[in-house]
Structure formats: C-alpha cells, structure tokens
C-alpha cells in the first residue's frame, strides 16, 4: 500500500501530445503505471506512441477506459481549466505538474473539485511516486526503492536529494510526494500526514518544508496530537531575505512571518527533530526510529 | 509584482473606489505645478516600493506653495531603506475624522481570499495584529459568491457600530476592493487608511497592491507598471531571462536546479561559515544558453569569488547537464573557480566529462559547498 | 399540519422598520404568527411596536431568538443579499415578498441557499398562509378558513379570489401558497405539489398557473405519475399576446411556447380538470372529489 | 427591454466579441457616407425590434454605392410587421464559409443560464428546435463558476469537430457572451449567425439582446438604449407611470390589481364574448394618482367603450379603494361607463360609497365582466 494510489489507479495524461507531457507519460508507463489514455483537444483519435489512445476530452477518456486519475501537463493559462475538466469527468485524483498557475485560478478551482470529491496534488509540483506501484508525475524512478518511509515535500529537486539519501541508506519509501511550492495547493502537509499516519505500510516519515505560510506549524500541531510514528523534518530557506519570492510563488517571508526559524521552533516544540543539513535527515530519523 | 501607491490608486479608481485625485511629479517644478492645479492643501508623498515612508520623512502635508516646494525638494532624491525617491504623488489633503484599515490577501489555510479590516487604521497593521489581534476583523470570501452584501455590511457595522451610513460606505469599499483584487489578479490589496472626513464621506487615501506574477499573461498592460528604477539590475536581467534570482550579500555564487534545493544550498553555505551571493534556480533544463545567462548575472556581482553548481539530475541526464555547463563556461571568460556537483541519472558519465576541464567536481552537496567556500577564500 | 410551516415556526422579519415590512409584521402577529425578531441594519437595539426586538443582522436575531424562518420585505436591490443573509444565518424557510428582483440575482442565490439547506418561497410572491397555524407574507387572513384543501399559485390577488371562493363554499385550506410570478423562483409547483401530496391533512388541492415557462406541464406529469389526491387547475393568460410581459416577469409567451393552451392541454392529458373561469374551480373540484 | 442589433453589438464589442465595425444611419445620404467610410461591399440592415427582417427585405448586400443608395431608400421607411424602419446599420459585408448559432437565456427549470448552440446557424433557431432538436447542443451554466473552459471548448468541438482552431474561437465567443450576458443583466443574448470567413476567422454578424427590466437600476446608461419610436405611446406612458400595461385590440378597458387577476379578467371578458382593450395591473395601492394615470392611459384609446375595475381588496380596505376610484374618476371627464367590482376587507362599505356615484357596482368578477361587455355594446 501507499497513500493516494494503488493497483487500481488508471491514469489519463492531459497534454500527452506536448513535449513534457509526452516525455513524462513515457516515463510513467516505463515504470509500469497504467496510463490508459491521453487528452489533447483537437487530437482525439490519435494514438500516442502506438499504445495510448488520445481523446479530445477527459470525459471521453474516462468513459472509454474507466480512468480515475489524471496527471496534467498543460500550460499555466490552461491548468485550472484542465483540473476542473478532470474533476468534472469523475477523476478522483488529479496531479497538476504545471508551474506558474495564477493563484486566484486555484482559489476558484478548490470548491469545484471539492464538490466533485476529487483530490488535487499540486500545482507546481513533481507529483507522487509510490515505489513498485505507480508514478504520477516527474519524480525520477532511479532514486527510489520500496520500503517503509513516507516523504512529503513542498520542493522538487530537494525531495530527490532526500529520497536519494534514504535509498542510499537502505531506507525504501512507501510514497514520495511533492505537494508543490505555490501558496494555494490541493493536498497539504496536513492531508499527507494524515494519510501517512493511517497507511499501515508507512512506518516513519519525513516532511520537507520551506519558508512561507504556516503549513509546517499546522502539521506540527497535528503530529504532536495524533501521530505516533517517527517523523523528521527539514526546512529550507533559513538564509532567505524577507519580502523576496524564492523561486516558488509560496516561498516568501512576509510581514515577518513564515520564517524558517519560526517553523523550526514549532516543529521542535512538537517533538519533531529538524535536521540542520539535508544530509542529517537520515541520521536524525535513524536516531528516533526504533525498528 | 509590487506597484506604487499611485498605480494602485489608479486600479482602485477604475473599480469605483473613492480615491482622491492626484498626479505624479518627478521634479520640484512639476510638483508645484500640480499643487497649483489641485489647490492647496496637498500631500506630497514619496513613491517608493517600501513601507515606512511616513517615518522616513517621505510623506508631507503642505498648506502653502512654499511647503510644496520645500517638501518636494526634500523628498525627491531621499533614500528610504535603500530606495531612492524618484517620484512624488501630489494629492489633495483631506480632513480626517476617523481612519480604518481594509486589506485583502490570499489565505493559504482556507485557500481563499481573506478580508481583514480594523478600526485601527493608519498604523502598521502587522503591529496591530501582534499587539491587539482582537481589533482586526476577518472574513474569508467564498470565490463562488464573492463578498456578499451581508458579509460586507457585517464587517462595516463591526468597524462602525454607531453609524450605518459609514458602515455602508465601508461595505461598498470592501466589495469594490474585492472586485479589484480578483480582476487585477492581486496577491495583496490594502487601503490603509480608509478615512472619513468630518462630513462623513469616505476616501481611500493610501493604497498598496501586489500583483500575482503568475497572472501577468492575463494583464499585458500591467507590465508597464513595473518600475525598472526600483529593480536591482541583476534581478531585472534574471527576470528577462526567466530565471528565479535573488541578490544576496555573499561571495559564493550559486546555480541550482529547483527552488527548494537552491534554498537548501544557500543555507548550507551559511552552515559552513560561508555567505551565498544569491538565490538562483536555473530550472530543469540543461540548456547552455540558460547557464550562460545565469553565469553572466552572477558574475556581474564583483563580490562573487567562487561559483557553485548544485544540480540534482533527476530525469535530465547528468552527462547532458555536464555538457551544457562545459559549453557555457567554455564560451565565457571566467576568472573565478567553479565547483560542480552533479547527482542523478548518468552521474558518473557527467563527472568524467567534467574531469577533463578546469571545473572542480564534487560528489555531494556538502563537499561541493565546502569546496566553494574554501575557493572563495 | 400544513406544508412548510408548523407550530415551531419562529419568524424574523427582514425590513421590519420599513412601511410594508412593519405593516405586514403586525398583520402576521395579529394572526398569531410567532414573529420573534426584526432586522434592519442600523436599527439594532430598537423595539418594533414595543414587542419585537430589532437587530442589525439576521445572525444576531437567529442567535438570540432561535428563529428558523425569515420573511423579507426589502427593496429589490437588497433582496438577493437579504435571502443569502437569512440562509447563512441558518433560516431554513425564507419567504421573499419583494417584487422586481433581477433574475440573475436569483440565479446566483439558488445554489447558495441550497448549500445551506434552506427553502425559499418567492420572490415576488404573497407568501404562505396556513390557516390556524401561521401567516408568512401578505395573504389576507379574512378570506381563509381551516380545512382540507391545499392551494398553490403563481399569482397574488387571483389566489385570493380562489381562496375566497373555496371559503365561501365551505372548503377550508391547509395551506395557501403563492410561489411568485418570476422566471426563477425558489419553491416551484413541483415542490409544492410533492409537499401537498405528502401532507396527511391535505385531501385535495388546487393549482393556479399562468402563461410562461413549463412549470405547469412538469407538475402535470408528476401528478399523473404520483398523486392520487384530487387536483383541479386554472391557467390565467389565454388572451395574452405573444412576446409581451404580462406584469409578472415570468408571464410571457416566448418563441411560441408557454401558452395557456399548451398548459391546459398538458394538464387535461394528465387527467387534471382545468377550470375555464375562476368561479368554476370549486365546482370542478367538487365534481371529482368524493369525500 | 428589447434593444436593436447595433446596440447589442455595441455591448458584445465591449466584452471582446469579434463584431465587425458598423454604424447607424437615419438617412440615405448618411448610409452612403458610412459605406464610403467603411469600404464596399457592405450590408445595409434595418434596425427594428422584430424578427424576420431578412424575409421582409430589410437586410441587403450592397456591392456598389448605387446598391447602397437604392437599398437604403427601400429599407428606410419600410414597414416590417408593423415596425417602421427609421435606422439602418451599415456594416462591412464578410464572406461566409460557415454559420453557427450561439444563444443564452434563463432556463426556469435548472434556474440557471442555458447556453444553446448549433451548427445550423443563420436560420430561425425556433424552427431548428422544432424540426431537428438533436442539432442543438445545450449546456447549463453554474453561476458559481461561470462557463468553464472545458464546457465551452466541449461545445466548440461539438459544433466544429474537425477544426480545433474554429472550436476554440467558438468557445472563446461563448465565454465572452456569457460574461456579456451576466454583466449586462440580459434575459436573452444571441449571436445568429456566428460565422467563419474562408480564412477561418470568426465574426458575430448578427446580435440580439433582451435586457432584464428588473435590473435596469444597476445600469443607468441602458435607459438610453430604449427606442421610444418603437414603443406604443400608451405603453410608454404606462412605463413612465410604473404601471404594467399591454395594449390589446378590444373595447373593454380593464383596471385590475395583480397580474394574475388581470389576466384572468381579460380571459373572462373573452369567455363572455367581449374583447379586452388592455392588460393593466394597478398594483396593491389605492393611490388616486395611480388610478388617474391608469384611466388616462386606457382612455387614450378611442376604441374603449367601457371600463372595468376588478379589485380584490386583500389587505387594502375596499372602502379606501372605493374612495380612490371616486376621487380619480371625479377629477376627470369620462364619457364611458365604469363598472366596479370590489371584494375583500370592508367590501360592503366600499360598495355603499360607490352607490352614491355614477359608477356601476358589481358583486362578483363574472357579474362585473358581463356588465362591462354589455355597456361596451
């Protein structure tokens, strides 16, 4: 088991005929993910790589192939629309990789997908990789390994760095999840933590935060109250100057709040070790995790 | 994107908010002429993209033309927290009977626009939030319905319990501000203060707006609002090259793929006693042109004494990345040492390629950071 | 029993300090309706007629007096807002008397009240009068009488005319309901008919339609399928010229549909007698109603 | 309120819909001058508030200036279903490769705006709906979200399955039409046809809009769109007096309180072999001024031979109503018989008051109607 995916995950790739969509669709399929259809308006009737039928709409793709999940690679101006389309077509899990989606588009999307009972991951995220089960997004498969550790992160390559170290230390993963660096995202730290906490295969997990917002503080409070599994954290951006957006639209210290120091304090107050360096994450986890 | 008060007021005005007239001057003569046009008294207000203008002497009441001249002279050219005043807004001064704060921002937790309002207007709202949070009223706004009449009027009556006329004006201002926020794709919009004159008429006499960079494609006209004078030249170049870049004060130039890893790299430089010169995310590609741009931007800072590439290949192959770095550095005349850390698919092939160059290879992030600090001296 | 109201109906009157709101609040109270509070923004703290406390907001009124129903007398530009306020404050029944509400305001209001589980009657309607139980609106109490007949109508005074004749013939009413003459209204014929059909005290009912839309046709189909109780109908506007709005915003024959003839045909096809004259309604009902 | 094609196009244009240029002329000379400005060929289109203009010869293609002159002469002054053409729209003629219908209206059942579209454009959509309903595609629009991208593009692809570029243009037009519909408070908005030229560019070449009378308070500027020439003088007066009034062809003038009762009264006049002269709802009040206005409007029709008041008092007391009627009729010089039926609170007192006048009392609606028909002769 993993969180959010299982062997019944049947994927539609929105934007499959685009450069990124095509590349990553192949990567997902190569990992054994059930990519059952692609969607590009105007390309209905084509077949992607002689394997995957392409439709004009997600509704047709879902109807024809009983899909339940969508992974979205479309340009920013079309991303919110693509998410709504997937939710409206009945997809219950939607992973939006697209970077640069206007925040108010996401604000508007949220109640729409909620009314349709869909879970969104992202946007502006690497997606999810459940080793041995499925890959939904762009996480590199070469660095993962099946095992008992969950990982959730607002970042992309920093996640890879940590996964790489976990795998190198022989600690495989149940699910590696990048929730994205935007201010308004579908699945939050809290959602991921609740899922990891309930997932019987996840024995311990790692949470990689960064400056901006207070999602890490909220997660810390929840963990303190409800989570018995070992958790270690890391917060990027200790040296970030206030008022500047550090790449991610959500990574900004504003009005003196959302600092790495605050987050570290909240996490430690909740009993969660916070690694000073990325390479300290595995040792800190091993310290508290009595296997 | 942060814009000036006068620009924010222009947006507010177009959505029907009651903003007093006013124009921008770039010289003392112009300021005096504008004051003449508008009639005394006026306010002369520095237009810089930072807070605390009043405390710094950048906002002055002028009862006479002499005052206008004198204050415009003082304010134009003033340095406010590193921002040089190049423009002043000359705007009619209004009598203030009471002041309110009205602001909207994106609330990450509710995933909605949050309206905040307070009868403690005209002061720093962060301070009010810290000292007397109970004096700030909040309302999250359902994007499906917008700010409804009863929500807006409810806020208005909380701010002004004894004067329904004023409460209604505040409510109308909040609804217009919401429309302005949404339709301009703002990430922050504040009126501080919204004031009433002694005759009970409301005016938005200060305005602050941040626009969502991600939504600029929808608002081609907003690109003109960007004040290039307010932008650090290196940051401007990075923006034009579509690179995420923030200038810092150190001497280790950092080129990293991914924002989170870039922050973690900066943090690690600091951890080992060094000082990062910048934040820079070169993104997922191994495009040599992007690398050239990034290097040029970083090297435009004479403080930079060493350069650190920290690349986690992920799906991009490390040998491709190495080739991109070699092509880019080979085409340039670079006088500082360059440390390269490459991890991911084909990392050994990548390192083998680097071994044939002057670039200093490193196997881990820690090693790379320590080497770069050492080489920066 | 009646439909939509009972002895627990506790009413807030929005716009109680206005001329119409005040007048009808008094009338409602005189009939024994539990008017527990009034609402007029800016008049909070006043007491209406030395009896009913006035609040600035419906939320306060509901909180202080456990109200569950609102009757709205506010100007057209404020009506949609007033309905939303009542629903948001927790009122489960909202009667909006106001005439002249923009149609798109009502379109926007509908999902809002539905999300909050509130029923709306109106706008542009005389409201509801359940003889012996409560009056919510402006129907004249002098013409009603307790009894077994339900009445639902898109009209105001035409309703009174029919109620008057029912009462004169000794046929009292369970509930007299004016649903309003606008194109977009909260409670429809269908809703009212389902309620009358389920109400044990209603033995027979009368449906007064008029030109415009196809609510009568829909109701006819439902009655044919589901209703065993005797039903008689009347349709106003046989002589109305096409394309002209006959007073009510919803009373218009457009594109050749919504005519009285069509409606009559559909009702008769469903086995529902349609009276030619208002004064034929009672006799037609008595014909088919074996008591 | 129904508005002209050129006015609807102006609204559409302001919401970014692709509407060809064009201006309105009220004389042949003006039409020729406009054609000269715009360049040939042009369409000369009668501007009247009724359908079937093309069939009636009110829309002409003009290849030469001679054509413009000739057609403008023919069309100006033309009677189309009782509407005299006073204005023509002169607009560039475009080559038509394909035609579509796009329309929006209020759907009473879903309580939402309904988008209807068809590839059978340029013809009467009612006919398409009757003959081949399967060729009309429908989409109800959730007011909380508006017309979403996938809904609009889905419609576009259904209309144009083989050309995504055209499908996207249709989708964009539908989204703009929805915005126009909502922001102008329309009750109907149609583009028929939306056409593509041979090079694949879309244009809205005809436009129809009805505005919601109830929402006019939000759009003070729209009052200017009202074409007073198109309005029956009695209906105009009624509108100005805030009375619901519709002129009919009979001789029994009807004054009734309430729209439903007014319709039922007309129907009853017809039932007894008479002909109602009008629909008129005088509302709930007993205000003599309103009654005077109503009587003046009805009496302006020389066909009216008798007047019928049918008032169900409801909460208004019948004696008050009777006083109002007596005051109103007493202040006027009326040469036709007046039948008055009053029912409701204090009806006997009301009838007693009437007994002292020339007014003919009646106890029931039936009696009143029969008496009025008889008196009308």
């Amino acid at each position: 088991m993993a969180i959010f995916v299982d062997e019944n995950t049947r994927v539609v790739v929105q934007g499959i005929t685009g450069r990124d969509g095509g590349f990553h669709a192949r990567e997902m399929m190569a990992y054994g993910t059930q990519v059952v259809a692609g969607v590009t308006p105007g390309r209905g009737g084509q077949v992607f790589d002689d394997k995957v039928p392409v439709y004009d709409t997600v509704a047709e793709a879902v109807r024809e192939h009983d899909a339940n999940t969508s992974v979205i690679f479309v340009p920013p101006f079309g991303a919110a629309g693509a998410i709504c389309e997937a939710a409206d077509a009945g997809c219950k899990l939607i992973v939006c990789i697209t970077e640069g989606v206007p925040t108010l588009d996401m604000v508007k999307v949220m109640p729409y997908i909620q009314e349709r009972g869909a879970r969104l991951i992202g946007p502006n995220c690497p997606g999810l990789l459940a080793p041995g089960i499925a890959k939904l997004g762009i996480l590199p498969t070469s660095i993962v390994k099946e095992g008992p550790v969950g990982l959730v992160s607002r970042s992309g390559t920093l996640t890879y760095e940590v996964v790489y170290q976990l795998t190198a230390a022989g600690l495989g993963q149940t699910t590696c999840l990048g929730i994205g660096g935007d201010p308004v995202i579908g699945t939050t730290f809290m959602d991921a933590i609740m899922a990891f906490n309930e997932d019987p295969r996840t024995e311990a997990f790692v949470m990689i935060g960064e400056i901006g917002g207070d999602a890490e503080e909220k997660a810390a409070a929840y963990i303190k109250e409800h989570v018995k599994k070992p958790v270690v954290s890391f917060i990027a951006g200790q040296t970030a100057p206030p008022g500047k957006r550090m790449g991610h639209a959500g990574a900004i210290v504003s009005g003196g709040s959302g600092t790495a120091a605050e987050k570290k304090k909240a996490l430690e107050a909740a009993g969660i070790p916070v690694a000073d360096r990325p390479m300290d994450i595995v040792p800190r986890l091993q310290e508290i995790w009595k296997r | 994107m942060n814009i000036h008060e006068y620009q924010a007021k222009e947006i507010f005005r177009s959505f029907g908010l009651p903003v007093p007239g006013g124009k921008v001057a770039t010289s003392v003569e112009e300021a005096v002429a504008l004051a003449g046009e508008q009639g005394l008294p006026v306010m002369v207000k520095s237009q810089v993209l930072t807070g605390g203008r009043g405390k710094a002497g950048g906002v002055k009441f002028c009862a006479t033309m002499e005052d206008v001249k004198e204050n415009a002279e003082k304010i134009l050219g003033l340095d406010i927290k590193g921002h040089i005043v190049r423009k002043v807004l000359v705007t009619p001064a209004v009598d203030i009977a009471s002041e309110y704060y009205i602001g909207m921002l994106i609330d990450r937790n509710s995933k909605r626009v949050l309206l905040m309002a307070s009868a403690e207007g005209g002061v720093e709202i962060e301070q009010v939030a810290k000292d007397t949070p109970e004096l700030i009223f909040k309302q999250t706004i359902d994007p499906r319905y917008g700010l409804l009449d009863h929500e807006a009027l409810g806020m208005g009556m909380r701010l002004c319990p004894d004067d329904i006329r004023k409460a209604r004006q505040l409510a109308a201002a909040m609804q217009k501000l919401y429309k302005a926020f949404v339709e301009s794709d703002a990430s922050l919009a504040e009126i501080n203060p919204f004031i009433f004159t002694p005759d009970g008429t409301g005016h938005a006499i200060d305005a602050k707006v941040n626009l969502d960079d991600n939504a600029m494609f929808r608002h081609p006209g907003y690109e003109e609002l960007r004040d290039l004078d307010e932008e650090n030249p290196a940051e401007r170049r990075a923006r034009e090259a579509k690179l995420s870049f923030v200038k810092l004060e150190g001497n280790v130039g950092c080129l990293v793929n991914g924002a989170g890893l870039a922050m973690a790299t900066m943090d690690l430089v600091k951890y080992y006693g060094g000082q990062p010169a910048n934040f820079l995310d070169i993104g997922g590609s191994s495009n040599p042109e992007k690398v050239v741009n990034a290097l040029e931007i970083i090297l435009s800072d004479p403080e930079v004494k060493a350069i650190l590439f920290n690349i986690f290949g992920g799906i991009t192959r490390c040998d491709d990345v190495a080739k991109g770095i070699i092509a880019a550095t080979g085409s340039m005349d670079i006088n500082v040492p360059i440390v390269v850390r490459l991890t991911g698919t084909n990392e050994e092939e990548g390192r083998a390629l680097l071994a044939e160059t002057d670039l200093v290879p490193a196997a881990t992030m820690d090693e790379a950071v320590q080497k770069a600090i050492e080489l920066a001296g």
Side-chain angles (χ1 to χ4, degrees), chain A, chain B:
Chain A
M1 250 177 79
I3 64 169
F4 308 148
V5 286
D6 58 30
E7 66 285 353
N8 299 316
T9 296
R10 295 172 64 82
V11 180
V12 172
V13 174
Q14 287 177 260
I16 198 168
T17 60
R19 203 194 53 174
D20 290 352
F23 178 84
H24 290 291
R26 274 179 213 111
E27 293 279 321
M28 286 189 259
M29 287 154 70
Y31 195 65
T33 309
Q34 297 182 66
V35 176
V36 296
V39 170
T40 301
R43 301 290 184 95
Q46 297 186 1
V47 179
F48 173 77
D49 274 10
D50 295 330
K51 281 182 215 135
V52 181
V54 178
Y55 295 87
D56 284 324
T57 67
V58 182
E60 291 168 274
V62 165
R63 192 165 52 234
E64 297 298 324
H65 300 280
D66 207 16
N68 50 25
T69 298
S70 175
V71 184
I72 295 175
F73 298 91
V74 304
F77 61 82
I83 294 169
C84 291
E85 181 179 1
D88 205 32
C91 292
K92 295 303 173 198
L93 179 64
I94 301 164
V95 181
C96 183
I97 307 303
T98 310
E99 181 179 351
V101 183
T103 306
L104 285 170
D105 283 5
M106 294 313 303
V107 168
K108 194 175 165 188
V109 157
M110 290 302 162
Y112 191 83
I113 59 173
Q114 201 177 354
E115 285 168 17
R116 282 156 186 77
R119 167 182 298 284
L120 172 68
I121 296 174
N124 190 16
C125 77
L128 167 160
L129 206 173
I133 299 175
K135 159 169 152 149
L136 305 177
I138 64 173
L139 281 129
T141 54
S142 58
I143 56 173
V144 301
K145 172 183 153 77
E146 276 190 67
V149 180
L151 187 139
V152 55
S153 169
R154 276 166 72 182
S155 163
T157 47
L158 178 57
T159 313
Y160 310 167
E161 183 80 41
V162 177
V163 172
Y164 185 76
Q165 291 172 26
L166 284 167
T167 297
L171 295 173
Q173 303 92 39
T174 55
T175 317
C176 303
L177 173 66
I179 57 174
D182 279 357
V184 173
I185 52 176
T187 296
T188 61
F189 274 135
M190 191 79 103
D191 300 322
I193 282 161
M194 288 165 71
F196 278 133
N197 199 32
E198 280 168 25
D199 176 38
R201 242 195 60 193
T202 301
E203 294 173 31
F205 57 92
V206 177
M207 184 174 102
I208 312 290
E210 62 188 36
I211 53 166
D214 65 356
E216 292 83 357
E217 287 88 330
K218 294 241 177 300
Y222 183 85
I223 291 169
K224 188 178 182 184
E225 203 65 35
H226 302 284
V227 178
K228 299 276 170 283
K229 298 179 185 182
V231 187
V232 167
S233 184
F234 175 81
I235 304 293
Q238 295 162 53
T239 49
K244 292 282 189 180
R245 168 177 158 173
M246 307 302 280
H248 292 160
I252 183 164
V253 171
S254 51
S257 72
T259 65
E262 272 176 18
K263 290 175 191 297
K264 199 175 171 206
K265 200 174 139 196
L267 287 158
E268 287 174 343
I272 303 160
V274 181
D276 286 326
R277 303 177 302 169
M279 41 293 298
D280 294 332
I281 292 170
V282 171
R284 296 298 299 267
L285 185 60
Q286 286 167 327
E287 273 172 31
I288 59 166
W289 188 9
K290 316 293 173 207
R291 302 183 76 177
Chain B
M1 183 172 86
N2 204 344
I3 60 174
H4 287 296
E5 175 194 0
Y6 78 92
Q7 298 168 320
K9 282 183 168 174
E10 209 46 67
I11 292 177
F12 286 177
R13 195 177 284 126
S14 72
F15 286 93
L17 278 157
V19 178
K23 281 187 182 163
V24 161
T26 54
S27 69
V28 175
E29 298 71 44
E30 226 184 318
V32 170
L34 288 176
E37 268 174 38
Q38 288 169 18
L40 293 165
V42 297
M43 300 298 295
V44 174
K45 306 180 77 175
S46 53
Q47 299 295 292
V48 283
L49 298 179
T50 185
R53 294 175 298 163
K55 276 186 202 153
V59 177
K60 292 289 179 189
F61 173 82
C62 307
T64 67
M65 293 307 258
E66 272 311 295
D67 288 353
V68 176
K69 188 160 176 290
E70 198 176 303
N71 284 312
E73 269 165 7
K74 274 190 202 152
I75 294 173
L76 281 163
L78 192 67
D79 180 333
I80 303 180
K81 299 184 189 170
H83 298 250
I84 306 302
V85 179
R86 290 183 178 83
K87 295 177 195 155
V88 291
L89 173 63
V90 181
T91 179
V94 288
D95 275 358
I96 297 177
S98 54
E99 303 183 75
Y100 298 86
Y101 168 89
I102 307 174
M104 289 183 191
L105 48 75
I106 303 286
D107 177 46
R108 298 175 187 221
N109 291 312
S110 65
K111 306 179 187 180
R112 291 185 172 184
V113 176
L114 176 67
L115 161 63
M116 297 196 293
S118 175
E120 300 295 299
V123 297
E124 283 220 7
I125 197 68
E126 285 87 357
Q127 204 55 45
V128 181
K130 209 163 278 176
D131 300 342
T132 48
E134 71 281 5
L135 297 181
I136 299 183
F137 302 110
K138 295 182 180 184
Q139 170 80 49
T140 55
I141 300 172
D142 187 331
R144 299 171 303 170
Y145 300 104
L147 181 60
L148 291 166
D149 290 354
H150 73 278
E151 295 170 337
L153 187 57
M155 284 293 260
M157 290 192 292
R158 258 166 273 157
L159 296 179
C160 244
D162 301 320
D163 189 333
I164 188 69
R165 221 185 111 230
K166 288 182 183 167
R168 286 193 193 281
Q169 286 184 74
L170 286 163
M174 291 178 220
Q175 289 184 304
K176 285 171 182 162
L177 185 65
Y178 179 69
K179 200 162 160 44
F181 188 99
V182 170
E183 298 199 5
S184 68
D185 272 299
S187 51
L188 176 81
E190 288 182 338
I191 302 173
N192 189 17
F194 186 95
I195 65 106
F196 288 104
T197 52
D199 71 354
T201 320
H203 303 273
I205 66 167
D206 202 353
K208 186 176 177 191
V209 167
N210 288 351
L211 298 169
D212 182 356
D213 295 308
N214 286 351
M216 293 294 279
F217 67 82
R218 275 205 277 256
H219 307 280
Y222 286 177
E223 198 49 51
E224 283 168 29
L225 301 179
R226 193 182 298 280
D227 185 347
L228 300 177
D229 290 332
E230 281 269 0
E231 216 174 10
N232 169 301
E235 291 186 6
R236 187 195 317 176
R237 239 197 102 183
R239 179 174 51 73
E240 285 163 359
K242 299 194 190 312
L243 291 165
S244 276
F245 172 83
V246 176
K247 171 90 183 72
L248 299 169
E249 303 301 316
N251 59 3
V252 178
C254 304
L255 289 92
V256 189
N257 68 329
L261 190 61
M263 281 189 270
T265 305
M266 285 161 41
D267 294 349
L268 201 61
V269 170
K270 188 87 174 246
Y271 179 87
Y272 283 113
Q275 293 292 344
N278 65 283
F279 165 92
L280 190 147
D281 172 9
I282 58 164
S285 104
S286 51
N287 181 345
E289 198 191 318
K290 235 179 181 173
V291 178
V292 168
N293 280 327
L295 282 168
E296 283 178 359
I297 289 162
I298 288 176
L299 291 167
S300 71
D301 178 356
E303 296 298 311
V304 170
K305 301 299 181 213
I307 283 176
L308 163 60
F309 277 89
N310 184 13
I311 309 291
F312 197 103
I315 280 157
T316 321
R317 283 161 45 190
C318 288
D319 45 345
D320 281 349
V321 175
K323 280 177 203 159
I325 295 174
I326 291 165
T329 53
S331 73
M332 299 173 68
D333 185 21
I334 300 176
N335 299 320
V336 299
I338 299 177
V339 179
V340 182
R341 181 265 181 147
L342 276 178
T343 305
T345 316
N346 289 14
E347 63 179 77
E348 268 135 52
E349 288 86 337
R351 276 204 292 272
L353 287 166
L354 295 176
E356 294 158 26
T357 69
D358 286 345
L359 304 169
V360 182
T364 69
M365 198 168 149
D366 268 52
E367 185 193 331
V369 165
Q370 286 171 307
K371 274 188 179 168
I373 294 170
E374 196 189 313
L375 289 165

